[in-house]
Amino acid sequence: MALDELKSALPDYAKDLKLNLGSVIGNSDLPRQQLWGTVLACAIASRSPIVLRELEPEAKANLSGEAYTAAKSAAAVMAMNNVFYRTRHLLSDPEYGTLRAGLRMNVIGNPGVEKTDFELWSLAVSAINGCGQCLDSHEQVLRKAGVERDVIQEAFKIASVIQAVGTTLDAEAVLAE
């Protein structure tokens, strides 16, 4: 199992990550599609080849073809949106916020899966990429759709652990060279 491989690859100093990885994925209360779509989108967003290589096959096995593609689409479109909207937010000139974005984001309107699932995956990727404006936007859409705070928090818990595991394993791989 890929999850066990990742946990066993973590060094002793990252024992908390090992425990948290097993907990946020292995003991999640999220429905299977929400869980594995979040895992896949976050594995992509983590930019860690090790994490993506280990988690993608299990995600693919647990997702329909449409959900698998939608989770990858969430990671892709949010990679763009998080840079764009975070930059507009960080610039001190508020006039940038009034300009038309002019970027295609059609997948957000028609993701091929339940809108709340796609929004949850987008929020999780935004947590990894650190875009406050996108986090607020996706959280508001989810809350208006009736998604509870504990579900939303579950998604960004998964994001935080996957990101930390990727950072740690990538660092260890470099140090081992």
Side-chain angles (χ1 to χ4, degrees), residues 79-146:
M80 174 185 69
N81 284 357
N82 292 157
V83 171
F84 181 81
Y85 288 105
R86 182 179 63 236
T87 302
R88 280 204 337 192
H89 176 75
L90 292 173
L91 288 169
S92 60
D93 183 349
E95 289 298 313
Y96 287 102
T98 66
L99 300 176
R100 184 177 168 279
L103 297 172
R104 296 203 182 268
M105 307 171 213
N106 295 331
V107 71
I108 294 173
N110 187 16
V113 294
E114 289 291 325
K115 181 87 168 133
T116 54
D117 291 354
F118 191 83
E119 290 288 333
L120 194 69
W121 304 336
S122 297
L123 178 130
V125 170
S126 297
I128 289 173
N129 292 332
C131 180
Q133 189 171 3
C134 293
L135 283 166
D136 282 342
S137 174
H138 294 291
E139 189 268 348
Q140 289 170 13
V141 170
L142 287 163
R143 294 292 293 142
K144 284 180 186 166

Side-chain angles (χ1 to χ4, degrees), residues 20-118:
N20 288 331
L21 186 62
S23 175
V24 300
I25 296 176
N27 298 326
S28 176
D29 290 331
L30 292 178
R32 187 169 69 191
Q33 179 166 297
Q34 285 184 350
L35 170 65
W36 286 103
T38 302
V39 169
L40 179 58
C42 289
I44 293 167
S46 77
R47 297 174 186 85
S48 171
I50 298 165
V51 167
L52 183 57
R53 201 172 20 254
E54 292 300 322
L55 293 178
E56 183 275 340
E58 196 162 352
K60 191 171 191 174
N62 280 285
L63 293 168
S64 67
E66 295 81 10
Y68 177 80
T69 299
K72 292 193 315 181
S73 296
V77 76
M78 295 318 297
M80 174 185 69
N81 284 357
N82 292 157
V83 171
F84 181 81
Y85 288 105
R86 182 179 63 236
T87 302
R88 280 204 337 192
H89 176 75
L90 292 173
L91 288 169
S92 60
D93 183 349
E95 289 298 313
Y96 287 102
T98 66
L99 300 176
R100 184 177 168 279
L103 297 172
R104 296 203 182 268
M105 307 171 213
N106 295 331
V107 71
I108 294 173
N110 187 16
V113 294
E114 289 291 325
K115 181 87 168 133
T116 54
D117 291 354
F118 191 83

